[in-house]
Amino acid sequence: MCGRYTITVTLEELLLHYWISDSNAPYRPKYNVAPGQMVLAVIHDGEKNRLGELKWGLVPSWAETTKLAAKMINARSETVWEKPAFRKLMERKRCVIPADGFYEWRQEEGRKQPMRIVRRDRKLFSMAGLYDTWVSPDGIKLSTCTVLTTTPNELMTPIHNRMPVILHPEDEATWLDRSEQGSAALNRLLRPFPSELLEAYPVGAQVGSVAKDDESCIAPLASYG
């Protein structure tokens, strides 16, 4: 699963990357984004990309309550076309969640060592996501999202058996394009990101606490090994 990530670039970098001229979305660098929080996401409205907030943990529009959210922070890319909660979203409600790193815990001699996985060039990347809007009985709207996952690449295999679907920059527009609904074209994008473009390094145990959200979370663990 993908349960924690970072987004520490500037707002200007975000807007430039996704060709967005302006945004009213609140932004500050986040070093330990967790499920249940409001997260930045990009959608295409049919004319242009838009940056806004979604709550991490999908609540399908047809759900009776919001209880499903905690169980739907991730969606397995191999089965999204089969699951009722995701099939329709794959056709018209795809989004990307900007990030510049994600955390996963590696099992080591009876303990779990948190690792941060980043691009080698430290650039921003896009995790493939799906979103939906749920309306409560009294008319309150809640827009939520889930992050797609795939099988691990060679770098991730010793760390965890899943990893987020990271889109190549040239594939982001295709993923966001609502007119693209073919499963073959979209499934081509749902593959492990190349190991040689990523690196992983150990960080401190404080990332295990959702209350901890500062630069110390991404600092390499100096005493490791």
Side-chain angles (χ1 to χ4, degrees), residues 47-77:
E47 296 182 358
K48 61 184 183 300
N49 286 345
R50 293 171 50 200
L51 180 69
E53 285 191 309
L54 299 170
K55 191 171 185 179
W56 188 9
L58 187 75
V59 180
S61 59
W62 44 260
E64 294 183 1
T65 71
T66 61
K67 292 181 179 179
L68 287 175
K71 297 181 179 180
M72 300 181 72
I73 64 170
N74 293 151
R76 294 176 67 92
S77 60

Side-chain angles (χ1 to χ4, degrees), residues 13-24:
E13 287 177 275
L14 272 173
L15 299 182
L16 183 63
H17 183 95
Y18 296 106
W19 295 84
I20 298 172
S21 57
D22 59 77
S23 174
N24 294 322

Side-chain angles (χ1 to χ4, degrees), residues 177-197:
D177 184 0
R178 293 184 180 185
S179 67
E180 180 58 76
Q181 300 180 22
S183 59
L186 294 172
N187 286 345
R188 180 183 62 82
L189 312 182
L190 306 180
R191 59 188 188 273
F193 200 70
S195 292
E196 62 271 19
L197 299 182

